[in-house]
Structures are given as C-alpha cells and as structure tokens.
Amino acid sequence: MALLLSTHDVAAMTRRMGLPELLKRLVGYLEADYLRWQDFDKTPRIAAHSADGVIELMPIADHELYTFKYVNGHPTNYRFGLSTVMAFGALAEMATGTPQVLSELTISTALRTAATSVMVAKRLARPDAKTMALIGNGAQSEFQALAFHHLLGIEEIRLFDIDPAATAKLMRHLQSVPGLRLVPCQSTAEAVKGADIVTTVTADKTNATIITPEMLEPGMHINGVGGDCPGKTELHRGVLEQSSVFVEFEPQSRIEGDIQQMPADFAVTEFWRVLSGQVPGRRDAQEITVFDSVGFALEDFSMLRLLRDCARELGLGSEISLVPRMADPKDLFGELITPEAESQRRAA
C-alpha cells in the first residue's frame, strides 16, 4: 500500500508544524541532498509545450529512491479559475520499484521553491540584508515573503504587481505577521530601489525584461524565480552580464532559465559547488549576484522525502492500492476474478 497525501493533508501538516518550522526543516533536507549531488541520476525535465503553456515531467533518482513530479505552467489559467501551476508526484523504492508515496505537489512546489530561494540566498545575499523587493504577488509570493522573513531575517518587503488585486491579496494575508513591514509600490523601479534582495516571481510566458541594468545597485542579490521555460525570462541580459550568476542544473537552466538568452560560453556556477565549498558564493559586499532559478527535480526529491517523514510522524494521509498485492505474483489475471466467482469455481 502507498501513502496518499492530498492538498488537505499538506495544509494540515503545515498548520500543525507551523510554516516557519516546516520551511526550516525543508531547507535542511535540501542542503543534505544538494551535498550529495554526485549520487543522483539527473536529467533536464521533459517538456510538452502548447501555445498557452507547458506540461513537464521531472524525474530523479539515487541508489535508494526514485521520484518524479508532473507539473504544468499555464499563465492564462486564471481565466478558467485554475492555478497557473498544478502538480503531483510520487516516491518509490529503487530496489523493487514499489511506490511509497503519491502526493499533491502544488502547495508543496510553492514551499520547496521558497525554501530553495532561502537556501541559496543564505550564501549569496549580503549577511546584513533586511529589505526585499517582491515583483509578482501571485500564488507563490506569500511563501517567498514568509520564508525570507522567518529564515533570513528580512524585515521589509516592497511589493509590486501589474495586478493591484494581487498585491492587496498578499497584504491581506501577511499584514499581521509580527516584525514584517509591507510597502506597496507603483512600479518595479520603485520597489527595487534600495532593496538588498530582489525576488521576481512572475507568470507570463514571454521574454520579459522586468529587471533592467539601471535598477541594479552594488551588493544586490536577485532571486529570479519566474523564468522557468523556453521563451520565458524576467531579467534583461545586461543584468546577467553585470552579475555573478548561479544556477541549479546547468543543462536545464541553459534551456529554460534567464541564461537562455546568453551565449553558450556565458559563465555560470551550479549552486551545489558553493554549498560543498568548491567555489565561493558572494565574494564581497559590492558584488551583484543572481540566482537563475528554474526549479529542479532534486528539490522535489527533498520535498517528497520530507512529506513522507512528516506524514508518518503526524499520522496524516491515507493508504491507496496503486499496485495489486497478489498471493501468486504471476497470477495478475486472478485479480479480475471476484471472490464469489472464485468460490463458485472451486465448488463446481
């Protein structure tokens, strides 16, 4: 029997553990897995594109576990009352192929993206960072804001979205968070002025230039979250040219990240090298750093492990028969026969 975790289970897990504690624990899982980078069988995600969006499969495995995530990205889904991003995934044993967990990953993707952002910013942002600009105030914005506030000590977040209702929604959710000051802004330029960290988490599938070179300031760290598929960027190429750029898995980032607009020899650093101490992160207080984040399967591997462990601890989830449990492993056809029919056959 596999463990089934619904959106209600993950929401209950977050409430019972508390979001700061869950995010803190998730960062620990992420760091542990990134430090084992060489143990994983890695591949860029497999994408199917349409005019309105993309559906992607994100597999990864080590010698013990295999995971995958199914995820979409459809920026116009709001017109149908649907999320831009929807996802589910599974965790299985490598030794037997037996599925252990089948879980929602829509809420969980927002959690792991925020935790990954903080994990990286701990090494790339200035240690004295207190102010963040948050450009794009949609579905993932609260997760980013709370992760940076609780885990990195951000005290002020300057907000901008082309949809004022999105900013109002974020402020409604977070206005009572102790020690967090929210400042709505009228433009991206206003929001990023004086910000120590700039997080971009926009949804449009277009080659946008949300952050431009004239907005850069010495010591700024840019957490670029929204550029995550071919034809979708957020940063002007001049921003990348003036910055030290870090990525998750370079072969995937070259296709999907903001660096897709750069030549093939444009220098980037995979973040696991920073975490392992092979290369430095931020070199000085004046350096401008960019995390060109597209989301990588290893982060979902960490998320699924955490979901499994926390669900066991809290008694959440339900069992589901994803594969038959047969008395005779060679008698699959026998699963189609009802107990009553089998009794009648034996009696005949």
Side-chain angles (χ1 to χ4, degrees), residues 115-125 221 223 246 271 291:
T116 301
S117 295
V118 166
M119 173 184 68
V120 174
K122 285 167 61 178
R123 278 83 183 178
L124 300 186
H221 171 60
N223 176 42
F246 299 80
F271 177 73
F291 177 40

Side-chain angles (χ1 to χ4, degrees), residues 42-61:
K42 300 174 290 290
T43 183
R45 54 191 168 201
I46 304 160
H49 295 275
S50 69
D52 296 319
V54 62
I55 296 174
E56 297 169 324
L57 187 66
M58 302 172 63
I60 195 167

Side-chain angles (χ1 to χ4, degrees), residues 45 72 213 217 261 269:
R45 54 191 168 201
N72 78 303
E217 297 182 15
Q261 60 189 306
T269 301

Side-chain angles (χ1 to χ4, degrees), residues 21 35 48 56 75 82 95 99 104 106 117 122 148 158 190 193 210 213 223 228 241 253 279 285 287 312 338:
E21 178 59 30
L35 285 170
E56 297 169 324
L82 297 171
E104 84 81 36
T106 306
S117 295
K122 285 167 61 178
F148 275 90
R158 303 170 62 81
E190 180 187 349
K193 187 174 180 58
I210 295 164
N223 176 42
D228 57 6
E241 291 169 343
S253 299
V279 297
E287 184 181 18
R312 288 173 176 172
T338 66

Side-chain angles (χ1 to χ4, degrees), residues 165-221:
T167 302
K169 176 265 305 178
L170 186 151
M171 295 191 68
R172 184 172 66 251
H173 284 156
L174 303 187
Q175 61 186 354
S176 61
V177 175
L180 179 61
R181 180 169 179 251
L182 302 174
V183 182
C185 299
Q186 299 303 309
S187 68
T188 297
E190 180 187 349
V192 304
K193 187 174 180 58
D196 303 313
I197 298 172
V198 175
T199 290
T200 56
V201 57
T202 61
D204 286 344
K205 188 178 180 182
T206 184
N207 288 124
T209 53
I210 295 164
I211 305 299
T212 55
E214 61 269 19
M215 298 179 188
L216 297 177
E217 297 182 15
M220 183 179 281
H221 171 60

